Amino acid sequence: MGGEQEGAAVPQSSKGSWSSFLKQMSSFNGDLSTMTAPAFILSTTSLTEFSAYWAEMPRHLVAPATEKNAEKRMVLVLKWFLSTLRQQYASRNEKLGSEKKPLNPFLGELFLGRWEDEAGTTQLASEQVSHHPPVTAYSIWNNKHGVRLQGYNAQKASFGRTINVRQVGHAILHIDEYDEDYLITLPGLHIEGLITGSPFVELNGSSYIVSSTGYTAKIDYSGRGWLSGAKNSLSATIFPHGKEKSKSDVLYTAEGSWTDNFTIKDAKKNTVESYSAKKEPKTPLKVADIKDQDPLESRRAWQKVAAAIEKGDLNTTSSEKSVIEESQRALRKKEAAEGKEWERRFFSRAKSSPPFEKLVKEVPGGSLEANQTDGIWVFDGEKAKEAKPPFAKLSEEIKDGWK
């Protein structure tokens, strides 16, 4: 670990619990999300809220819909995806000083909101569709531009030199104007800074974006190593399907940092897109006041736990979490006795995913892994249109016939 000092960023009162936590992790065999972390490293935010990171800049999400050239649309989809990475994987560290352990959502937990700006209204519905294993499904749509994103993911964590996380699941972006889909796979990640008590996320490996128009983007991630390398680095290429290994067929390249600046260049090395993550304005997400939320919505359900975490009151945090957990156990026991299963509010299981199955052929080793996510999850427009208050406003925004 070089010159890292154990617990350097840990509050003095928590150094003992942090050391014990690290020792426990090093010998733990199972789902790390179930472990109890020291109070100072706990987040007041549930994982269901993380789905919002896909669309905090709606202008980038909808930009491909206004581009008539399919090749250039692929460039804009890549730019949008890369623009989400800082929000998804670094914003909490930048805001709070370190990565925090999020609240583990309960089955049926919801997070709903919308963005309103020059791109129009962009809606979000995020739901915890499985608890064992933990799976979050989400749908984001902008009817003005005919752009829809939906997906689901689970995280499989293990401990080696650090915490390694394999993300299971995918997202699919659909553009109505051209009736085209973009399959988006998810990068692997690991947590650095554990020894000092100031953890942060670093991405690793590769992820893909595959378009139904015949183009693929491969994104490679790397970080600061023992001897060299820059933190949060990315390198990407866009090429026709099946041409990944042919350098002469590369149409565009992207280089830079997913937390700072990157550029996208064409085959002639001309810069066609540039991006500065720290200068890009975000559109605030609008969420109903807690008093107006459904009991299943994240911020209402977890408000007492969040308040206790903010006060550093671990005893109250634990007791309030237990109230929620015991209530959930009682529900599951009742459902089992009646031979029923919890009815998801906005998502349903599907037997297959034709867009995924068509496009995943371009992803080396790609597969649905439905056994890792308790099924294949799709947004159910019919369920959403039947939503009762406080979800009535959401149902008004649903496009007729959207499955």
Side-chain angles (χ1 to χ4, degrees), residues 112-116 121-124 284-288 393:
L112 310 172
R114 68 185 187 279
W115 298 268
E116 293 178 344
T121 298
T122 305
Q123 295 278 132
L124 163 70
L285 176 67
K286 295 184 177 182
V287 178
K393 175 62 177 175

Side-chain angles (χ1 to χ4, degrees), residues 290-342:
I290 287 180
K291 64 180 176 61
D292 298 324
Q293 291 183 13
D294 185 270
L296 293 176
E297 290 190 69
S298 291
R299 294 183 184 178
R300 179 171 173 179
W302 292 104
Q303 60 179 323
K304 292 181 180 180
V305 174
I309 291 173
E310 288 179 345
K311 293 176 182 177
D313 185 345
L314 190 56
N315 288 333
T316 302
T317 297
S318 179
S319 63
E320 291 295 344
K321 283 180 67 178
S322 293
V323 170
I324 295 174
E325 290 163 358
E326 289 302 322
S327 173
Q328 286 293 303
R329 291 190 187 101
L331 271 174
R332 301 292 86 78
K333 187 175 180 180
K334 182 175 183 290
E335 289 164 0
E338 296 175 352
K340 296 179 180 179
E341 183 183 24
W342 177 264

Side-chain angles (χ1 to χ4, degrees), residues 70-322:
E71 191 175 297
K72 292 179 179 178
R73 282 199 299 278
M74 185 64 177
V75 172
L76 292 173
V77 170
L78 174 62
K79 180 182 179 181
W80 157 73
F81 172 75
L82 296 179
S83 78
T84 71
L85 297 177
R86 179 176 179 239
Q87 295 305 107
Q88 294 200 60
Y89 303 110
S91 60
R92 297 173 299 282
N93 176 60
E94 293 173 353
K95 179 181 178 181
L96 304 173
S98 72
E99 187 64 36
K100 304 291 185 182
K101 182 180 184 294
L103 297 169
N104 295 326
F106 54 85
L107 179 60
E109 184 176 328
L110 302 167
F111 185 68
L112 310 172
R114 68 185 187 279
W115 298 268
E116 293 178 344
D117 57 13
E118 69 275 10
T121 298
T122 305
Q123 295 278 132
L124 163 70
S126 179
E127 180 173 4
Q128 193 71 7
V129 293
S130 174
H131 188 61
H132 296 295
V135 180
T136 306
Y138 50 86
S139 184
I140 297 170
W141 65 97
N142 180 298
N143 284 341
K144 177 181 177 180
H145 293 275
V147 173
R148 304 180 257 141
L149 176 77
Q150 66 171 300
Y152 58 92
N153 64 277
Q155 296 183 330
K156 302 296 181 181
S158 61
F159 189 84
R161 185 180 67 85
T162 183
I163 296 177
N164 299 292
V165 180
R166 185 172 73 90
Q167 300 198 91
V168 183
H170 64 276
I172 294 177
L173 178 70
H174 183 84
I175 301 177
D176 288 346
E177 176 70 18
Y178 306 104
D179 191 24
E180 63 191 21
D181 294 306
Y182 296 80
L183 169 64
I184 301 160
T185 68
L186 308 173
L189 58 94
H190 59 275
I191 310 297
E192 295 286 358
L194 285 174
I195 294 297
T196 62
S198 184
F200 64 90
V201 172
E202 186 67 272
L203 302 182
N204 54 51
S206 304
S207 68
Y208 287 80
I209 304 173
V210 184
S211 169
S212 58
T213 55
Y215 302 103
T216 299
K218 180 187 180 187
I219 306 101
D220 295 312
Y221 307 92
S222 61
R224 188 165 52 220
W226 290 86
L227 300 174
S228 62
K231 184 178 178 181
N232 308 145
S233 296
L234 69 87
S235 176
T237 53
I238 294 177
F239 46 86
H241 286 182
K243 301 293 184 178
E244 178 178 340
K245 299 186 183 301
S246 174
K247 292 184 178 181
S248 62
D249 286 304
V250 171
L251 303 172
Y252 297 90
T253 59
E255 299 283 347
S257 165
W258 52 269
T259 52
D260 199 355
N261 303 310
F262 65 79
T263 57
I264 301 177
K265 297 181 180 181
D266 63 19
K268 297 180 180 180
K269 307 300 182 183
N270 297 314
T271 298
V272 295
E273 294 288 342
S274 59
Y275 183 81
S276 180
K278 296 178 181 178
K279 295 180 181 179
E280 288 283 334
K282 313 299 183 296
T283 299
L285 176 67
K286 295 184 177 182
V287 178
D289 291 338
I290 287 180
K291 64 180 176 61
D292 298 324
Q293 291 183 13
D294 185 270
L296 293 176
E297 290 190 69
S298 291
R299 294 183 184 178
R300 179 171 173 179
W302 292 104
Q303 60 179 323
K304 292 181 180 180
V305 174
I309 291 173
E310 288 179 345
K311 293 176 182 177
D313 185 345
L314 190 56
N315 288 333
T316 302
T317 297
S318 179
S319 63
E320 291 295 344
K321 283 180 67 178
S322 293

